């Protein structure tokens, strides 16, 4: 029998988890306030194994950050630059194709494309990027553009979000990454990303995408100025939308990296917090099939440990990543597939190479 050090986990949460009862807002706050990390991991692991058994997913993917020029200039972002600023860059479609080609070992199954809100790129640039990539790599799933980028693209195209998504899908878009959610509470957004679309709009765009059959991920940027209540509120809003649409594939907590940002007075997150956020997310998001640890942000060592704290997905090969590395990440940008497999096996789990939609890739 597991020995909890926090009686609340033993007396209240364990029963709810065993009986598959939904956890409340207050439960979520208590979970975040608990210091019984092993107890949280034990409970999150029950949910993880119920949903995914021993299976642990990874993907052979290639991230592409096509431009760092962005008109939003979020305070937590070290990646974005203004046009003309030193180190600002914008890739042509030809350069994007070359980047994609540079990691085309015949087995890559996903391009993951996220960038800034470039003030001058026309809608045709994005359609062209998708069309050319799809033409050259017809079997590769394109997961591109956060809801924040989708709002911007609809804006520059003079289209509704729905129309823009339809055109992007026709050009080759397959699914949306989960970025841009940050923390949904408007008071927090006002402090960390006042120019960004609201959390409400982010949720609406996801709802529209899901309604069109376009799946997406969801994220939460944690470890900056947000409160425990902000985190729990964020998770519950995601859970409510998932009840409605069922369109979220995975939830990925993103550990805030402060270096070179407007919030550089904040410390890097700790291993304790990273594991706690993953475990609490697994417990609160009872309707999300997958919880993913993004090893780029928390490092392969914590990502491996997280497999006992509710996580069933360790992301992928990545190859190149600029957003977190601009903000002080000291991880590699590429990890070999065999290394992911041995990290998973060493944790006593069963590795499964997946495609974006969680089908096993042989
Ligand atoms: O929205 C920006 C985050 C996101 C920082 O769907 C930062 O599988 C930490 O969308 N420290 C974009 N995070 C990345 C993204 C993503 C990443 C991994 C997996 C998936 C997925 C999607 O990056 C932004 C923002 O939340 N971000 N700056 C920073 N300093
Ligand atoms: Fe731009 Fe995204 Fe960075 Fe915000 S997080 S400044 S929207 S690139």
């Amino acid at each position: 029998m597991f020995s909890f050090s926090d009686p609340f986990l033993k007396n209240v949460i364990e029963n709810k988890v065993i009986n598959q009862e939904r956890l409340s807002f207050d439960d979520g706050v208590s979970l975040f306030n608990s210091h019984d990390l092993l107890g949280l991991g034990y409970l999150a692991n029950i949910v993880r194994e119920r949903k995914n058994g021993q299976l642990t997913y990874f993907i052979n993917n290639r991230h592409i950050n096509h431009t760092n020029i962005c008109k939003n200039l979020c305070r937590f972002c070290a990646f974005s630059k203004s046009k003309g600023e030193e180190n600002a860059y914008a890739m042509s479609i030809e350069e994007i194709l070359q980047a994609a080609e540079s990691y085309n070992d015949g087995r890559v199954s996903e391009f993951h494309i996220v960038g800034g809100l470039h003030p001058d790129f026309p809608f045709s640039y994005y359609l062209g990027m998708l069309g050319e990539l799809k033409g050259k790599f017809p079997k590769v799933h394109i997961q591109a553009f956060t809801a924040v980028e989708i709002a911007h693209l609809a804006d520059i195209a003079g289209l509704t979000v729905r129309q823009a998504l339809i055109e992007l899908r026709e050009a080759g878009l397959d699914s949306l990454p989960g970025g841009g959610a940050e923390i949904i509470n408007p008071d927090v957004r006002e402090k960390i990303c006042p120019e960004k679309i609201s959390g409400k709009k982010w949720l609406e765009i996801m709802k529209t995408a899901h309604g069109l059959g376009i799946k997406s991920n969801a994220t939460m940027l944690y470890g900056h100025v947000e409160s425990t209540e902000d985190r729990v509120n964020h998770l519950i809003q995601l859970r409510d939308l998932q009840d409605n649409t069922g369109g979220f594939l995975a939830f990925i907590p993103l550990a805030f990296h402060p270096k070179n940002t407007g919030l550089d007075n904040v410390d890097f997150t700790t291993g304790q917090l990273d594991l706690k956020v993953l475990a609490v997310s697994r417990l609160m998001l009872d309707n999300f099939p997958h919880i993913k640890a993004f090893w780029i942000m928390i490092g392969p060592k914590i990502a491996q440990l997280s497999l006992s704290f509710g996580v069933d997905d360790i992301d992928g090969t990545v190859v190149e990543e600029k957003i977190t590395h601009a903000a002080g990440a000291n991880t590699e940008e590429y990890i070999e597939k065999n290394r992911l497999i041995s990290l998973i096996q060493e944790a006593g789990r069963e590795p499964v190479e997946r495609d974006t939609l969680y089908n096993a890739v042989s």
Side-chain angles (χ1 to χ4, degrees):
M1 206 176 75
F2 185 82
S3 173
F4 289 95
S5 63
D6 179 349
F8 178 74
L9 298 189
K10 178 169 175 46
N11 299 334
V12 180
I13 303 295
E14 188 178 23
N15 283 338
K16 288 196 177 187
V17 168
I18 289 169
N19 298 325
Q20 303 196 40
E21 241 178 87
R22 181 157 274 193
L23 303 186
S24 67
F25 180 88
D26 289 346
D27 290 336
V29 171
S30 300
L31 292 177
F32 273 118
N33 288 338
S34 176
H35 295 296
D36 187 358
L37 185 64
L38 293 181
L40 291 172
Y42 170 77
L43 294 172
N45 192 52
I46 294 176
V47 181
R48 182 252 202 256
E49 292 191 359
R50 188 188 292 142
K51 286 184 182 289
N52 293 295
Q54 298 298 322
L55 304 182
T56 300
Y57 296 93
F58 68 95
I59 187 165
N60 199 336
N61 64 353
R62 208 261 187 237
H63 279 226
I64 299 173
N65 302 126
H66 50 282
T67 181
N68 63 353
I69 298 174
C70 185
K71 66 188 183 70
N72 266 1
L73 301 176
C74 302
R75 289 192 64 209
F76 59 78
C77 182
F79 166 70
S80 67
K81 302 276 175 227
S82 297
K83 222 174 116 185
E85 201 181 330
E86 204 186 340
N87 298 328
Y89 73 89
M91 293 165 81
S92 64
I93 293 177
E94 191 49 43
E95 286 167 330
I96 292 170
L97 288 171
Q98 278 165 16
E101 184 66 51
S102 73
Y103 186 64
N104 177 25
D105 61 357
R107 286 182 295 273
V108 63
S109 73
E110 174 191 275
F111 294 133
H112 178 106
I113 306 174
V114 172
L117 311 186
H118 195 291
D120 304 333
F121 276 161
F123 192 50
S124 56
Y125 166 83
Y126 300 92
L127 296 177
M129 176 200 304
L130 294 168
E132 297 270 343
L133 280 171
K134 223 11 149 199
K136 207 157 182 187
F137 309 96
K139 291 194 181 141
V140 180
H141 181 112
I142 304 182
Q143 179 167 81
F145 314 137
T146 65
V148 176
E149 293 171 272
I150 296 293
H152 173 69
L153 299 194
D155 208 29
I156 56 172
L159 297 172
T160 63
V161 163
R162 190 168 189 280
Q163 287 164 336
L165 283 168
I166 290 170
E167 292 206 14
L168 291 163
R169 180 169 59 184
E170 274 165 15
L173 178 75
D174 294 303
S175 68
L176 303 183
E182 321 313 357
I183 287 284
I184 289 172
N185 179 351
D187 297 338
V188 176
R189 282 180 112 76
E190 188 54 39
K191 289 186 198 139
I192 65 168
C193 52
E195 307 295 329
K196 193 165 250 171
I197 58 166
S198 66
K200 189 164 169 268
K201 176 95 177 163
W202 186 94
L203 291 166
E204 277 166 18
I205 293 172
M206 287 308 187
K207 188 173 178 187
T208 306
H210 297 172
L212 290 167
I214 300 173
K215 299 275 185 189
S216 77
N217 289 332
T219 59
M220 173 175 79
L221 184 71
Y222 68 92
H224 42 91
V225 305
E226 86 286 3
S227 66
T228 299
E229 287 75 11
D230 293 328
R231 287 181 200 150
V232 179
N233 170 57
H234 186 96
L235 295 175
I236 288 181
Q237 300 225 38
L238 295 178
R239 188 172 76 182
D240 287 348
L241 181 56
Q242 179 74 332
D243 275 346
N244 194 319
T245 67
F248 288 120
L249 294 163
F251 175 70
I252 311 110
L254 302 178
F256 174 54
H257 284 56
K259 200 169 164 197
N260 308 318
T261 75
L263 299 171
D264 61 359
N265 56 324
V266 175
D267 285 334
F268 280 85
T269 64
T270 59
Q272 170 90 8
L273 180 64
D274 296 336
L275 290 174
K276 182 186 275 189
V277 173
L278 287 160
V280 175
S281 303
R282 178 62 290 171
L283 289 166
M284 293 302 293
L285 296 176
D286 52 24
N287 53 6
F288 271 62
H290 305 285
I291 302 291
K292 178 156 87 175
F294 191 38
W295 65 264
I296 286 271
M297 290 196 181
I298 59 174
K301 292 184 182 187
I302 297 287
Q304 185 190 37
L305 286 179
S306 76
L307 302 183
S308 300
F309 288 78
V311 168
D312 64 283
D313 183 342
I314 199 168
D315 203 79
T317 42
V318 180
V319 183
E320 198 176 13
E321 198 281 340
K322 298 199 187 314
I323 300 174
T324 328
H325 284 83
N330 56 17
T331 48
E332 303 295 320
E333 292 181 56
Y334 169 58
I335 194 163
E336 276 181 27
K337 186 173 129 174
N338 286 341
R339 177 92 181 104
L340 290 174
I341 292 173
S342 40
L343 285 174
I344 296 167
Q345 282 173 335
E346 199 190 38
R349 304 291 190 181
E350 189 183 329
V352 181
E353 181 172 348
R354 65 165 176 94
D355 64 15
T356 311
L357 302 175
Y358 288 83
N359 302 302
V361 173
S362 58

